[in-house]
Amino acid sequence: MDEAFETALVTFDSETGIGTITMNRPDALNALNGQLRDDIIAGLQRLEAENEDADGVALRAVVLEGAGDKAFCAGADVGGFSDDSAGGSGDRSHYEVIKDFPTPVIAKIDGYCLGGGLETALACDLRLASDDSAFGFPEVNLGLLPGAGGVQYVSKLAGPAVAKELAMTGEHISAERAAEEGIVNRVYPAPEFEDEVDEFVTELAGQAPLAVQAIKESAQMAVQTGLEEGIRHDRELFSRLLATEDHEEGAAAFGEDREPEFDGR
Ligand code: COA
């Protein structure tokens, strides 16, 4: 099955049970706009439908990747920030849909993985990266914080000090460092990346699917306590920061390709 949504390509291989969703805005480094967020959700729903007439579980693993050779995803589209960038307050966000999706979702990261792109990867179950990938939370440069739980996730995986370092400095870290900190599961040399990921995911897709789903649910429970409350709080902070002059300045400076001057208002 191949299906092209406006900003995402979806494929399903019935032999292996592997579904792939390719975020397809390479000219914008696969930045998340509303359409892409919707298309990721629609893609997951489309893949889950493979289970409907199956005898057992047809969909065994989902790979989420970015089109082009530069980025997994460079974060929220800086052209149009809103509360929805952090998941919003209405329908379930793509972050939540990925997190709660019964089948494991694997982020295949080759290039920039920033801001909401990193939060999207963190909502996935596993993160596999090429060694020329870069990770970071640049939101602070726009007078914001990662609004979809990035600080919460990294605090759980790597500890609050690493989360604060990333989110307060906005600096990028390498795939090796991300793996050392527990943010990324595996790092592969770029020339071998495609083959290594294929092998890993094919292996995973071959495991007992109900057991894999139960393990996902179990791991979810383990981190649930406290996390939701933290994300809710981040959303409130995100909303407040959206109304600040510093955010306006950060966004304007980005658009005008100059250094921002923040006033703390
Ligand atoms: N939203 C919208 N467009 C984005 C984007 C984003 N988050 N990130 C990159 N782009 C666009 C650029 O505007 C550029 O478009 P153009 O070719 O029409 O000018 C294109 O993607 C390529 O990006 P560019 O900045 O030229 O590539 P680079 O290799 O010099 O730098 C990054 C790459 C990722 C370091 C840089 O693009 C960047 O810092 N992006 C913003 C990241 C960000 O702040 N994301 C989180 C927001 S919370």
Side-chain angles (χ1 to χ4, degrees):
M1 180 278 286
D2 284 359
E3 194 161 332
F5 292 84
E6 202 173 318
T7 58
L9 307 171
V10 180
T11 65
F12 177 70
D13 179 346
S14 54
E15 293 277 305
T16 58
I18 298 170
T20 302
I21 299 178
T22 307
M23 296 178 277
N24 193 26
R25 299 186 71 218
D27 292 346
L29 305 187
N30 304 314
L32 291 160
N33 60 6
Q35 187 65 51
L36 179 52
R37 291 193 295 265
D38 288 349
D39 287 349
I40 292 170
I41 294 173
L44 287 168
Q45 287 166 346
R46 175 65 191 82
L47 288 172
E48 202 174 17
E50 293 292 332
N51 285 330
E52 272 166 19
D53 297 322
D55 184 15
V57 179
L59 183 67
R60 305 295 183 90
V62 177
V63 175
L64 180 63
E65 65 179 9
D69 56 6
K70 273 188 79 174
F72 173 75
C73 171
D77 192 307
V78 292
F81 265 110
S82 71
D83 270 357
D84 287 345
S85 312
S89 47
D91 294 340
R92 290 166 77 229
S93 69
H94 79 282
Y95 303 103
E96 287 167 293
V97 174
I98 292 170
K99 175 170 73 68
D100 297 335
F101 200 65
T103 310
V105 184
I106 296 106
K108 179 180 174 185
I109 302 157
D110 188 15
Y112 290 112
C113 182
L114 303 174
L118 178 49
E119 290 177 303
T120 299
L122 288 163
C124 294
D125 299 287
L126 299 167
R127 286 155 290 284
L128 309 178
S130 76
D131 63 358
D132 54 13
S133 300
F135 299 80
F137 287 130
E139 285 87 345
V140 70
N141 299 321
L142 301 172
L144 297 171
L145 92 169
V151 173
Q152 308 296 320
Y153 276 111
V154 175
S155 292
K156 302 259 181 207
L157 292 168
V162 176
K164 283 185 268 190
E165 179 192 335
L166 285 179
M168 288 179 180
T169 68
E171 286 174 9
H172 298 175
I173 61 168
S174 67
E176 285 81 1
R177 168 93 197 275
E180 273 166 31
E181 302 293 0
I183 297 167
V184 159
N185 292 84
R186 306 255 174 122
V187 182
Y188 301 110
E192 291 141 43
F193 182 59
E194 291 294 324
D195 288 348
E196 293 281 7
V197 172
D198 276 356
E199 193 179 322
F200 183 97
V201 178
T202 304
E203 183 102 355
L204 176 65
Q207 305 282 25
L210 294 175
V212 169
Q213 289 186 10
I215 292 162
K216 173 162 178 168
E217 202 178 313
S218 167
Q220 194 72 5
M221 286 297 294
V223 294
Q224 205 71 7
T225 320
L227 181 65
E228 299 291 70
E229 200 183 328
I231 292 175
R232 261 202 305 279
H233 190 59
D234 285 1
R235 281 200 189 146
E236 284 169 24
L237 294 172
F238 185 86
S239 290
R240 263 189 255 164
L241 290 170
L242 268 180
T244 64
E245 289 176 27
D246 282 359
H247 164 49
E248 257 177 56
E249 165 62 7
F254 181 87
E256 293 156 22
D257 201 25
R258 61 172 172 82
E259 287 298 312
E261 287 176 31
F262 296 121
D263 289 317
R265 288 196 291 269

